[in-house]
């Protein structure tokens, strides 16, 4: 039937694409071109599913930014031919990958759902089938002929999240992700229920999808711990060609007040390095200047990451560093929501 939603499955690698060879016991790659034959339940979804796979499936730990580009190019090439996209990657770095893709695609009007699994698709107790089937169902869901989702999401274990709000929190539970600062966009139970008021609604006037392919990866995460030495901080901030730092601070954005520490940060900022304050806490936000231990960060021009995740801060830095903009504009753009990745200040 011509009106069936068309869904493109993009398999990049990871556990979900593995199947057990019961003769040898070894895990081998699953052939996604036969997905509908291998998972007959998919026929009940009443959509046309096509798939493409990376030539060499890759563990998500090995996915650098060139693979993000491969994914967005597949989406760009197929954007008008499909109603929705389901991207299968390893779960380990899925929050980083999907956050980056959310910044690379502007004016998105179609669903892009990342999913994966903790157990291979061919395992008896697998979580892969539910994750895959519901992700496809979500990508195919329309209301008044428009997709219900038009943003980059991550679906795992009965919950649909805004991708750039997620963090992997468990290496072994099926509930592997959380989104502490933004509630799920949909929950799957007996019914698939969408939280419409939380879902991004595209601005009608902007029709064209804009694909931003430039990412700058000369950046680092500097996670503070009590007593971190001057030498360590200095050698990180003096990495040649360093352009950006995600400074993981304590609580609501607090850091040592020692003059030498603040001076090192200031010198880096004066050299043009962008330093973003993100909390080490899994939930809550940075309030720079709230405690004495973050007043100096404000004064020297550290960017307030508010309630952004580290994964999303990395993605946003990579994206914004590629723009030729002033420090003032950079700070302004970083401190406000671009793709729903942070909660805007109440004015
Ligand atoms: N190591 C795998 C990966 O991230 C784990 C998974 O697929 O969940 O590629």
């Amino acid at each position: 039937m011509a009106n069936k939603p068309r869904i493109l499955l993009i398999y990049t690698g990871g556990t979900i694409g593995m199947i057990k060879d019961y003769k040898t016991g070894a895990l081998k790659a699953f052939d996604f071109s036969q997905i509908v034959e291998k998972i007959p339940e998919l026929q009940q979804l009443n959509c046309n599913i096509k798939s493409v796979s990376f030539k060499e499936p890759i563990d998500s730990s090995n996915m650098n930014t060139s693979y993000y580009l491969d994914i967005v190019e597949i989406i760009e090439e197929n954007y008008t031919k499909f109603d929705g996209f389901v991207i299968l990657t390893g779960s380990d770095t899925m929050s980083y990958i999907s956050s980056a893709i959310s910044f690379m695609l502007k004016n998105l009007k179609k669903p892009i759902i990342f999913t994966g699994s903790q157990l291979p698709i061919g395992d008896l107790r697998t979580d892969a089938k539910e994750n895959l089937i519901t992700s496809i169902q979500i990508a195919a869901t329309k209301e008044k002929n428009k997709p219900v989702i038009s943003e980059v999401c991550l679906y795992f274990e009965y919950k649909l999240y805004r991708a750039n709000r997620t963090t992997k929190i468990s290496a072994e539970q099926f509930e592997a992700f959380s989104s502490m600062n933004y509630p799920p966009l949909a929950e799957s139970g007996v019914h698939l229920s969408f939280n419409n008021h939380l879902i991004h609604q595209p601005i009608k006037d902007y029709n064209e999808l804009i694909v931003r392919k430039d990412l700058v990866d000369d950046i680092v995460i500097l996670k503070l711990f009590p007593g971190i030495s001057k030498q360590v901080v200095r050698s990180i901030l003096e990495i040649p060609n360093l352009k950006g730092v995600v400074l993981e601070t304590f609580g609501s954005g607090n850091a040592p007040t020692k003059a030498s520490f603040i001076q090192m940060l200031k010198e880096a900022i004066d050299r043009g390095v962008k330093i973003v304050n993100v909390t080490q806490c899994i939930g809550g936000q940075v309030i720079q200047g709230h405690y004495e231990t973050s007043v100096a960060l404000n004064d020297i021009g550290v960017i307030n990451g508010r309630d952004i995740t580290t994964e999303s801060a990395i993605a946003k830095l990579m994206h914004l560093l590629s723009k030729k903009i002033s420090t003032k504009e950079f700070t302004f753009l970083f401190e406000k929501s671009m793709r729903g990745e942070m909660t805007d200040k109440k004015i």
Side-chain angles (χ1 to χ4, degrees):
M1 228 170 69
N3 283 341
K4 279 188 186 179
R6 292 152 303 172
I7 304 300
L8 184 63
L9 263 187
I10 305 171
Y11 175 61
T12 70
T15 304
I16 191 166
M18 300 284 155
I19 192 157
K20 204 175 211 160
D21 182 332
Y22 282 100
K23 281 192 201 124
T24 64
L27 289 175
K28 53 180 195 182
F30 177 87
D31 178 2
F32 275 89
S33 64
Q34 297 174 354
I35 184 97
V36 184
E37 292 84 64
K38 292 264 176 64
I39 308 179
E41 298 93 313
L42 289 174
Q43 279 162 18
Q44 293 176 36
L45 289 176
N46 201 28
C47 41
N48 281 319
I49 303 166
K50 293 265 176 310
S51 70
V52 289
S53 298
F54 275 13
K55 268 199 195 94
E56 293 288 334
I58 182 165
D59 190 286
S60 72
S61 303
N62 285 321
M63 282 180 82
N64 57 28
T65 53
S66 74
Y67 294 94
Y68 304 178
L69 207 63
D70 292 342
I71 296 174
V72 291
E73 284 180 346
I74 296 174
I75 295 172
E76 189 179 24
E77 262 172 53
N78 292 285
Y79 192 68
T80 53
K81 298 181 214 144
F82 289 87
D83 297 293
F85 300 83
V86 173
I87 305 177
L88 308 171
T89 67
S91 62
D92 289 349
T93 70
M94 194 185 288
S95 293
Y96 289 93
I97 306 166
S98 55
S99 295
I101 305 273
S102 78
F103 291 103
M104 295 168 87
L105 300 173
K106 196 179 172 196
N107 300 339
L108 192 61
K109 293 256 175 48
K110 296 187 178 184
I112 308 236
I113 316 294
F114 277 80
T115 195
S117 64
Q118 293 284 55
L119 283 175
I121 201 155
D123 193 289
L124 198 57
R125 296 181 52 253
T126 190
D127 53 333
K129 279 194 188 177
E130 200 287 317
N131 287 347
L132 180 61
I133 291 169
T134 308
S135 294
I136 296 174
Q137 187 174 3
I138 291 168
T141 303
K142 292 190 177 189
E143 233 174 64
K144 296 189 188 135
N145 220 19
K146 284 198 175 137
V148 170
I149 297 292
S150 52
E151 56 180 306
V152 181
C153 294
L154 187 155
Y155 181 81
F156 228 88
E157 191 65 3
Y158 303 111
K159 291 198 178 92
L160 180 76
Y161 304 105
R162 177 167 295 154
N164 57 31
R165 291 289 195 151
T166 62
T167 297
K168 186 170 182 186
I169 49 153
S170 175
E172 50 193 47
Q173 302 293 325
F174 286 147
E175 191 163 357
F177 288 87
S178 95
S179 164
M180 289 293 287
N181 289 333
Y182 202 75
L185 305 183
E187 285 177 69
S188 164
V190 173
H191 303 287
L192 182 57
S193 53
F194 289 92
N195 296 321
N196 289 319
H197 64 291
L198 299 169
I199 296 171
H200 166 74
Q201 303 301 331
I203 304 166
K204 289 192 189 73
D205 303 334
Y206 296 94
N207 285 322
E208 285 281 294
L209 175 77
I210 299 173
V211 184
R212 305 258 192 234
K213 297 186 183 174
D214 295 326
L215 295 173
V216 172
D217 56 10
D218 303 301
I219 59 179
V220 74
I221 299 173
L222 171 52
K223 181 169 184 160
L224 299 180
F225 57 88
I228 188 169
S229 79
K230 211 165 143 181
Q231 291 85 325
V232 166
V233 175
R234 166 156 303 128
S235 44
I236 288 176
L237 294 176
E238 288 182 357
I239 293 170
N241 213 28
L242 184 70
K243 307 252 175 17
V245 179
V246 173
L247 182 69
E248 280 202 358
T249 56
F250 312 119
S252 51
N254 304 313
T257 49
K258 223 175 174 181
S260 58
F261 173 75
I262 298 296
Q263 185 57 26
M264 283 189 286
L265 294 180
K266 184 176 180 312
E267 281 166 16
I269 292 170
D270 292 346
R271 285 199 304 275
V273 178
K274 309 289 187 286
I275 303 185
V276 181
N277 186 354
V278 174
T279 177
Q280 292 178 14
C281 298
I282 185 165
Q285 64 170 313
V286 165
I287 314 175
Q288 246 175 217
H290 187 55
Y291 286 92
E292 194 204 336
T293 40
S294 66
V295 169
L297 302 182
N298 245 355
D299 295 343
I300 61 170
V302 169
I303 297 166
N304 188 340
R306 309 174 55 76
D307 63 351
I308 202 168
T309 59
T310 292
E311 292 85 338
S312 207
I314 286 284
K316 197 168 181 178
L317 264 183
M318 284 180 167
H319 169 66
L320 285 179
L321 282 169
S322 72
K323 290 180 185 276
K324 306 254 168 307
I325 50 177
S326 66
T327 299
K328 197 172 164 201
E329 208 177 336
F330 190 99
T331 304
F332 173 78
L333 287 176
F334 203 105
E335 291 187 349
K336 76 183 206 31
S337 165
M338 294 179 75
R339 304 280 192 273
E341 74 285 358
M342 66 207 289
T343 309
D344 271 325
K345 269 186 243 180
K346 287 189 188 71
I347 306 170

